[in-house]
Amino acid sequence: MSGKVTIAIIREVQEKLGYSFIDFNLLVIACTYVPVKNGGANRLHRKDRPITKQGWELETIGDAILLTIVRQRICPILGVTEAHRIISYFVSNENLRICGTTMGLPNFNSAADRVEAIIGATWIDTNESGKEVRKVVERILSYGKFNYQSLKCD
C-alpha cells in the first residue's frame, strides 16, 4: 500500500468505524493529518495550512477522549497499578498504529496520531455524544493488538 491517503481509503476507514460522518471533511482532515513531530513542524504556524492545525486539535481532543473512555472501562475492574499498565497498552502508539493500519490507513509513524484525530473528529461530528464516540472507540480498539472487548465492566 502506498503512503498516500485517498478518498477510497477514507471511505474504508469510515466503514470500519461503523459510523457515517455528517461532516465528511472532519474525517478527511483526521485521516490526512501529518503531526508536527512527523515532518509538519513548520505547518502548524503557517496560515496557509489550517488543516494541520485542525488535525492537531482533533488529535489532542481524541487523545483525551480515548484515555477517558479506556479508564472508565478498566479502572472499576482492576487495581490502580494494574489498571495503569493495561491502559498504557491500549493507548500506546504501537497499538493505535496497528488499529489504524488494520482499518486501512497507510503504515507509517503518524497512523497512531491519525487514529486519535479520528476519535476527536467523531467527538465533534457527533455533537459530543459520549455514547456514539464510545462505540467508535470500542470498534477502533477491536482492530488492535489487545482484546479490549474481553474486559468485562460488571
Side-chain angles (χ1 to χ4, degrees):
M1 176 186 303
S2 79
K4 185 174 180 180
V5 179
T6 64
I7 292 297
I9 289 171
I10 295 169
R11 290 194 192 288
E12 178 185 349
V13 168
Q14 179 174 250
E15 185 177 317
K16 289 185 177 179
L17 290 174
Y19 174 77
S20 293
F21 277 75
I22 297 164
D23 183 355
F24 190 72
N25 192 48
L26 283 170
L27 185 58
V28 170
I29 291 167
C31 289
T32 58
Y33 162 58
V34 178
V36 171
K37 65 186 174 200
N38 291 327
N42 295 325
R43 296 180 185 178
L44 187 60
H45 302 291
R46 289 177 48 193
K47 292 182 181 180
D48 61 332
R49 297 297 303 210
I51 288 178
T52 301
K53 183 172 189 270
Q54 291 170 348
W56 176 79
E57 291 165 346
L58 293 176
E59 178 193 356
T60 303
I61 292 166
D63 180 54
I65 290 167
L66 173 65
L67 191 55
T68 300
I69 289 173
V70 172
R71 277 185 181 156
Q72 287 173 344
R73 181 166 184 137
I74 293 175
C75 286
I77 58 175
L78 298 173
V80 174
T81 303
E82 190 174 358
H84 178 72
R85 186 176 55 80
I86 303 275
I87 289 166
S88 296
Y89 290 140
F90 284 109
V91 302
S92 71
N93 283 341
E94 177 189 4
N95 191 51
L96 295 179
R97 183 189 53 76
I98 291 167
C99 293
T101 56
T102 304
M103 290 187 317
L105 291 172
N107 184 12
F108 44 76
N109 293 341
S110 59
D113 298 307
R114 288 177 178 183
V115 168
E116 291 170 339
I118 289 167
I119 294 168
T122 306
W123 174 255
I124 291 169
D125 197 65
T126 62
N127 227 2
E128 302 176 5
S129 169
K131 183 178 179 180
E132 287 299 316
V133 175
R134 183 176 306 279
K135 287 180 196 175
V136 168
V137 167
E138 289 177 358
R139 191 84 179 254
I140 289 170
L141 292 177
S142 75
Y143 294 109
K145 184 176 178 180
F146 308 103
N147 189 348
Y148 185 76
Q149 300 302 328
S150 71
L151 296 170
K152 302 296 181 208
C153 302
D154 303 335

